[in-house]
Amino acid sequence: MKANSQRVKGKNFRPLHGKPLFRWILDTLLAVEEIDEVVINTDARHILAENGLVETDRVRIRDRQPELCGDTVSMNLILADDLAAVEADTYLMTHTTNPLLTPQTIRSALTQYQDGVAKGEADSLFTVNKIQTRFYRGDASPVNHDPDNLIQTQDLEPWYEENSNLYIFSRDSFAKTNARIGKQPLLHEMDKMEASDIDTPEDWDLAAALAGMRMAKEAAE
């Protein structure tokens, strides 16, 4: 969790419907009983404290190493630092910028991952958006369809977009690739309304609108 952000200034601590953005995903993670500890890797411990967040029996705040600060540092290097300091059988990684991720999706992904590992069919998992639409290159040449034989988009081969919402892996799988995605990853398809990832001001506006819709629906139930 960085203090500064390039495209949406201070987004991790900016209020979203009455609470700072980081609080959305933190509250979600703490609502999942299967998660023993939430580790926050940050260069902004003081800002978290100003927002009322301190360490508890389930929340650990790790100060990001100076050499790992900055906008161009690979997240896999930050994860490697966390793995070296935090012992666990299973690691689950998400971002402050995924405010609409639900406990239900996290539990479902954990179950899929655990089943895949138990069967020897997987060593990691990441969430995706399923996309079935017509793609073109910059020169207007088709990528995944025949313009002379237009079929329904729902009949096109599905493509899967890594949506940066959730990654699950083990220490062993990380060691094989030095990355959060191992050699035998599972794809966990998410509802696009839930898979919001805030990178731009437009993303923020969309997430705020979707969060408002969710809150209104929950209030009416």
PDB file of all heavy atoms in Angstrom, residues 79-101:
ATOM      1  N   LEU A  79       6.582  -9.126  -2.834  1.00  0.00           N
ATOM      2  CA  LEU A  79       6.059 -10.382  -2.306  1.00  0.00           C
ATOM      3  C   LEU A  79       7.192 -11.276  -1.784  1.00  0.00           C
ATOM      4  O   LEU A  79       7.043 -11.932  -0.751  1.00  0.00           O
ATOM      5  CB  LEU A  79       5.274 -11.121  -3.392  1.00  0.00           C
ATOM      6  CG  LEU A  79       3.898 -10.541  -3.730  1.00  0.00           C
ATOM      7  CD1 LEU A  79       3.306 -11.259  -4.926  1.00  0.00           C
ATOM      8  CD2 LEU A  79       2.957 -10.648  -2.535  1.00  0.00           C
ATOM      9  N   ALA A  80       8.299 -11.303  -2.505  1.00  0.00           N
ATOM     10  CA  ALA A  80       9.437 -12.112  -2.052  1.00  0.00           C
ATOM     11  C   ALA A  80       9.909 -11.652  -0.680  1.00  0.00           C
ATOM     12  O   ALA A  80      10.257 -12.474   0.182  1.00  0.00           O
ATOM     13  CB  ALA A  80      10.573 -12.041  -3.070  1.00  0.00           C
ATOM     14  N   ASP A  81       9.905 -10.358  -0.465  1.00  0.00           N
ATOM     15  CA  ASP A  81      10.306  -9.813   0.838  1.00  0.00           C
ATOM     16  C   ASP A  81       9.316 -10.232   1.923  1.00  0.00           C
ATOM     17  O   ASP A  81       9.714 -10.583   3.037  1.00  0.00           O
ATOM     18  CB  ASP A  81      10.391  -8.292   0.743  1.00  0.00           C
ATOM     19  CG  ASP A  81      10.840  -7.661   2.051  1.00  0.00           C
ATOM     20  OD1 ASP A  81      11.995  -7.869   2.441  1.00  0.00           O
ATOM     21  OD2 ASP A  81      10.020  -6.964   2.690  1.00  0.00           O
ATOM     22  N   ASP A  82       8.031 -10.217   1.595  1.00  0.00           N
ATOM     23  CA  ASP A  82       7.018 -10.635   2.565  1.00  0.00           C
ATOM     24  C   ASP A  82       7.128 -12.122   2.880  1.00  0.00           C
ATOM     25  O   ASP A  82       7.016 -12.531   4.048  1.00  0.00           O
ATOM     26  CB  ASP A  82       5.618 -10.322   2.027  1.00  0.00           C
ATOM     27  CG  ASP A  82       5.234  -8.860   2.178  1.00  0.00           C
ATOM     28  OD1 ASP A  82       5.753  -8.207   3.103  1.00  0.00           O
ATOM     29  OD2 ASP A  82       4.420  -8.370   1.386  1.00  0.00           O
ATOM     30  N   LEU A  83       7.336 -12.940   1.855  1.00  0.00           N
ATOM     31  CA  LEU A  83       7.437 -14.380   2.078  1.00  0.00           C
ATOM     32  C   LEU A  83       8.631 -14.727   2.959  1.00  0.00           C
ATOM     33  O   LEU A  83       8.572 -15.672   3.757  1.00  0.00           O
ATOM     34  CB  LEU A  83       7.539 -15.120   0.746  1.00  0.00           C
ATOM     35  CG  LEU A  83       6.214 -15.665   0.183  1.00  0.00           C
ATOM     36  CD1 LEU A  83       5.265 -14.525  -0.147  1.00  0.00           C
ATOM     37  CD2 LEU A  83       6.449 -16.533  -1.044  1.00  0.00           C
ATOM     38  N   ALA A  84       9.699 -13.957   2.826  1.00  0.00           N
ATOM     39  CA  ALA A  84      10.881 -14.207   3.648  1.00  0.00           C
ATOM     40  C   ALA A  84      10.621 -13.896   5.121  1.00  0.00           C
ATOM     41  O   ALA A  84      11.272 -14.454   6.005  1.00  0.00           O
ATOM     42  CB  ALA A  84      12.049 -13.368   3.132  1.00  0.00           C
ATOM     43  N   ALA A  85       9.640 -13.037   5.374  1.00  0.00           N
ATOM     44  CA  ALA A  85       9.371 -12.601   6.751  1.00  0.00           C
ATOM     45  C   ALA A  85       8.132 -13.245   7.364  1.00  0.00           C
ATOM     46  O   ALA A  85       7.972 -13.222   8.588  1.00  0.00           O
ATOM     47  CB  ALA A  85       9.207 -11.080   6.781  1.00  0.00           C
ATOM     48  N   VAL A  86       7.271 -13.805   6.528  1.00  0.00           N
ATOM     49  CA  VAL A  86       5.981 -14.310   7.011  1.00  0.00           C
ATOM     50  C   VAL A  86       5.829 -15.778   6.622  1.00  0.00           C
ATOM     51  O   VAL A  86       5.738 -16.118   5.434  1.00  0.00           O
ATOM     52  CB  VAL A  86       4.807 -13.496   6.427  1.00  0.00           C
ATOM     53  CG1 VAL A  86       3.478 -14.034   6.942  1.00  0.00           C
ATOM     54  CG2 VAL A  86       4.962 -12.015   6.751  1.00  0.00           C
ATOM     55  N   GLU A  87       5.803 -16.649   7.619  1.00  0.00           N
ATOM     56  CA  GLU A  87       5.627 -18.080   7.375  1.00  0.00           C
ATOM     57  C   GLU A  87       4.143 -18.403   7.208  1.00  0.00           C
ATOM     58  O   GLU A  87       3.316 -17.968   8.016  1.00  0.00           O
ATOM     59  CB  GLU A  87       6.194 -18.892   8.541  1.00  0.00           C
ATOM     60  CG  GLU A  87       7.711 -18.908   8.606  1.00  0.00           C
ATOM     61  CD  GLU A  87       8.327 -19.789   7.535  1.00  0.00           C
ATOM     62  OE1 GLU A  87       7.605 -20.636   6.967  1.00  0.00           O
ATOM     63  OE2 GLU A  87       9.532 -19.621   7.275  1.00  0.00           O
ATOM     64  N   ALA A  88       3.808 -19.164   6.164  1.00  0.00           N
ATOM     65  CA  ALA A  88       2.422 -19.573   5.951  1.00  0.00           C
ATOM     66  C   ALA A  88       2.374 -20.746   4.991  1.00  0.00           C
ATOM     67  O   ALA A  88       3.288 -20.946   4.183  1.00  0.00           O
ATOM     68  CB  ALA A  88       1.597 -18.406   5.395  1.00  0.00           C
ATOM     69  N   ASP A  89       1.303 -21.521   5.070  1.00  0.00           N
ATOM     70  CA  ASP A  89       1.094 -22.612   4.117  1.00  0.00           C
ATOM     71  C   ASP A  89       0.555 -22.064   2.800  1.00  0.00           C
ATOM     72  O   ASP A  89       0.899 -22.550   1.723  1.00  0.00           O
ATOM     73  CB  ASP A  89       0.097 -23.630   4.684  1.00  0.00           C
ATOM     74  CG  ASP A  89       0.637 -24.342   5.911  1.00  0.00           C
ATOM     75  OD1 ASP A  89       1.860 -24.578   5.968  1.00  0.00           O
ATOM     76  OD2 ASP A  89      -0.160 -24.651   6.812  1.00  0.00           O
ATOM     77  N   THR A  90      -0.322 -21.070   2.908  1.00  0.00           N
ATOM     78  CA  THR A  90      -0.965 -20.501   1.729  1.00  0.00           C
ATOM     79  C   THR A  90      -0.921 -18.985   1.818  1.00  0.00           C
ATOM     80  O   THR A  90      -1.180 -18.407   2.884  1.00  0.00           O
ATOM     81  CB  THR A  90      -2.442 -20.958   1.635  1.00  0.00           C
ATOM     82  OG1 THR A  90      -2.490 -22.383   1.587  1.00  0.00           O
ATOM     83  CG2 THR A  90      -3.119 -20.381   0.395  1.00  0.00           C
ATOM     84  N   TYR A  91      -0.581 -18.354   0.707  1.00  0.00           N
ATOM     85  CA  TYR A  91      -0.549 -16.891   0.626  1.00  0.00           C
ATOM     86  C   TYR A  91      -1.634 -16.416  -0.335  1.00  0.00           C
ATOM     87  O   TYR A  91      -1.801 -16.983  -1.423  1.00  0.00           O
ATOM     88  CB  TYR A  91       0.813 -16.398   0.139  1.00  0.00           C
ATOM     89  CG  TYR A  91       1.947 -16.740   1.065  1.00  0.00           C
ATOM     90  CD1 TYR A  91       2.633 -17.956   0.932  1.00  0.00           C
ATOM     91  CD2 TYR A  91       2.338 -15.881   2.085  1.00  0.00           C
ATOM     92  CE1 TYR A  91       3.672 -18.286   1.788  1.00  0.00           C
ATOM     93  CE2 TYR A  91       3.380 -16.202   2.944  1.00  0.00           C
ATOM     94  CZ  TYR A  91       4.038 -17.411   2.790  1.00  0.00           C
ATOM     95  OH  TYR A  91       5.070 -17.738   3.644  1.00  0.00           O
ATOM     96  N   LEU A  92      -2.348 -15.401   0.093  1.00  0.00           N
ATOM     97  CA  LEU A  92      -3.393 -14.799  -0.737  1.00  0.00           C
ATOM     98  C   LEU A  92      -3.061 -13.321  -0.871  1.00  0.00           C
ATOM     99  O   LEU A  92      -2.860 -12.633   0.127  1.00  0.00           O
ATOM    100  CB  LEU A  92      -4.757 -15.005  -0.068  1.00  0.00           C
ATOM    101  CG  LEU A  92      -6.008 -14.512  -0.788  1.00  0.00           C
ATOM    102  CD1 LEU A  92      -7.206 -15.354  -0.361  1.00  0.00           C
ATOM    103  CD2 LEU A  92      -6.294 -13.034  -0.485  1.00  0.00           C
ATOM    104  N   MET A  93      -2.985 -12.853  -2.097  1.00  0.00           N
ATOM    105  CA  MET A  93      -2.602 -11.467  -2.327  1.00  0.00           C
ATOM    106  C   MET A  93      -3.707 -10.711  -3.056  1.00  0.00           C
ATOM    107  O   MET A  93      -4.311 -11.225  -3.996  1.00  0.00           O
ATOM    108  CB  MET A  93      -1.323 -11.406  -3.163  1.00  0.00           C
ATOM    109  CG  MET A  93      -0.799  -9.997  -3.379  1.00  0.00           C
ATOM    110  SD  MET A  93      -0.448  -9.712  -5.119  1.00  0.00           S
ATOM    111  CE  MET A  93      -0.270  -7.936  -5.111  1.00  0.00           C
ATOM    112  N   THR A  94      -3.989  -9.501  -2.591  1.00  0.00           N
ATOM    113  CA  THR A  94      -4.920  -8.619  -3.277  1.00  0.00           C
ATOM    114  C   THR A  94      -4.398  -7.198  -3.139  1.00  0.00           C
ATOM    115  O   THR A  94      -3.304  -6.980  -2.636  1.00  0.00           O
ATOM    116  CB  THR A  94      -6.348  -8.762  -2.716  1.00  0.00           C
ATOM    117  OG1 THR A  94      -7.249  -7.969  -3.501  1.00  0.00           O
ATOM    118  CG2 THR A  94      -6.416  -8.332  -1.263  1.00  0.00           C
ATOM    119  N   HIS A  95      -5.182  -6.224  -3.630  1.00  0.00           N
ATOM    120  CA  HIS A  95      -4.744  -4.833  -3.630  1.00  0.00           C
ATOM    121  C   HIS A  95      -5.773  -3.940  -2.948  1.00  0.00           C
ATOM    122  O   HIS A  95      -6.972  -4.235  -2.934  1.00  0.00           O
ATOM    123  CB  HIS A  95      -4.567  -4.322  -5.068  1.00  0.00           C
ATOM    124  CG  HIS A  95      -3.541  -5.057  -5.863  1.00  0.00           C
ATOM    125  ND1 HIS A  95      -3.850  -6.143  -6.643  1.00  0.00           N
ATOM    126  CD2 HIS A  95      -2.210  -4.848  -6.008  1.00  0.00           C
ATOM    127  CE1 HIS A  95      -2.751  -6.574  -7.240  1.00  0.00           C
ATOM    128  NE2 HIS A  95      -1.739  -5.818  -6.870  1.00  0.00           N
ATOM    129  N   THR A  96      -5.298  -2.825  -2.445  1.00  0.00           N
ATOM    130  CA  THR A  96      -6.197  -1.804  -1.907  1.00  0.00           C
ATOM    131  C   THR A  96      -7.169  -1.324  -2.972  1.00  0.00           C
ATOM    132  O   THR A  96      -8.287  -0.906  -2.651  1.00  0.00           O
ATOM    133  CB  THR A  96      -5.377  -0.602  -1.386  1.00  0.00           C
ATOM    134  OG1 THR A  96      -4.410  -1.077  -0.461  1.00  0.00           O
ATOM    135  CG2 THR A  96      -6.259   0.428  -0.719  1.00  0.00           C
ATOM    136  N   THR A  97      -6.760  -1.403  -4.220  1.00  0.00           N
ATOM    137  CA  THR A  97      -7.550  -0.855  -5.331  1.00  0.00           C
ATOM    138  C   THR A  97      -8.640  -1.794  -5.825  1.00  0.00           C
ATOM    139  O   THR A  97      -9.192  -1.581  -6.894  1.00  0.00           O
ATOM    140  CB  THR A  97      -6.622  -0.488  -6.494  1.00  0.00           C
ATOM    141  OG1 THR A  97      -5.767  -1.604  -6.789  1.00  0.00           O
ATOM    142  CG2 THR A  97      -5.780   0.725  -6.134  1.00  0.00           C
ATOM    143  N   ASN A  98      -8.943  -2.839  -5.050  1.00  0.00           N
ATOM    144  CA  ASN A  98     -10.016  -3.780  -5.406  1.00  0.00           C
ATOM    145  C   ASN A  98     -11.138  -3.705  -4.367  1.00  0.00           C
ATOM    146  O   ASN A  98     -11.389  -4.678  -3.643  1.00  0.00           O
ATOM    147  CB  ASN A  98      -9.471  -5.208  -5.490  1.00  0.00           C
ATOM    148  CG  ASN A  98      -8.295  -5.355  -6.430  1.00  0.00           C
ATOM    149  OD1 ASN A  98      -7.313  -6.013  -6.097  1.00  0.00           O
ATOM    150  ND2 ASN A  98      -8.367  -4.746  -7.591  1.00  0.00           N
ATOM    151  N   PRO A  99     -11.835  -2.585  -4.257  1.00  0.00           N
ATOM    152  CA  PRO A  99     -12.773  -2.399  -3.148  1.00  0.00           C
ATOM    153  C   PRO A  99     -14.020  -3.267  -3.203  1.00  0.00           C
ATOM    154  O   PRO A  99     -14.671  -3.463  -2.178  1.00  0.00           O
ATOM    155  CB  PRO A  99     -13.155  -0.912  -3.265  1.00  0.00           C
ATOM    156  CG  PRO A  99     -12.990  -0.597  -4.719  1.00  0.00           C
ATOM    157  CD  PRO A  99     -11.785  -1.385  -5.132  1.00  0.00           C
ATOM    158  N   LEU A 100     -14.366  -3.807  -4.369  1.00  0.00           N
ATOM    159  CA  LEU A 100     -15.626  -4.538  -4.495  1.00  0.00           C
ATOM    160  C   LEU A 100     -15.471  -6.052  -4.402  1.00  0.00           C
ATOM    161  O   LEU A 100     -16.452  -6.780  -4.469  1.00  0.00           O
ATOM    162  CB  LEU A 100     -16.318  -4.164  -5.819  1.00  0.00           C
ATOM    163  CG  LEU A 100     -16.610  -2.669  -5.980  1.00  0.00           C
ATOM    164  CD1 LEU A 100     -17.312  -2.408  -7.311  1.00  0.00           C
ATOM    165  CD2 LEU A 100     -17.455  -2.146  -4.827  1.00  0.00           C
ATOM    166  N   LEU A 101     -14.252  -6.522  -4.244  1.00  0.00           N
ATOM    167  CA  LEU A 101     -14.023  -7.950  -4.029  1.00  0.00           C
ATOM    168  C   LEU A 101     -14.780  -8.396  -2.784  1.00  0.00           C
ATOM    169  O   LEU A 101     -14.730  -7.733  -1.741  1.00  0.00           O
ATOM    170  CB  LEU A 101     -12.528  -8.211  -3.860  1.00  0.00           C
ATOM    171  CG  LEU A 101     -12.064  -9.656  -3.690  1.00  0.00           C
ATOM    172  CD1 LEU A 101     -12.369 -10.472  -4.941  1.00  0.00           C
ATOM    173  CD2 LEU A 101     -10.568  -9.686  -3.385  1.00  0.00           C
TER     174      LEU A 101
END
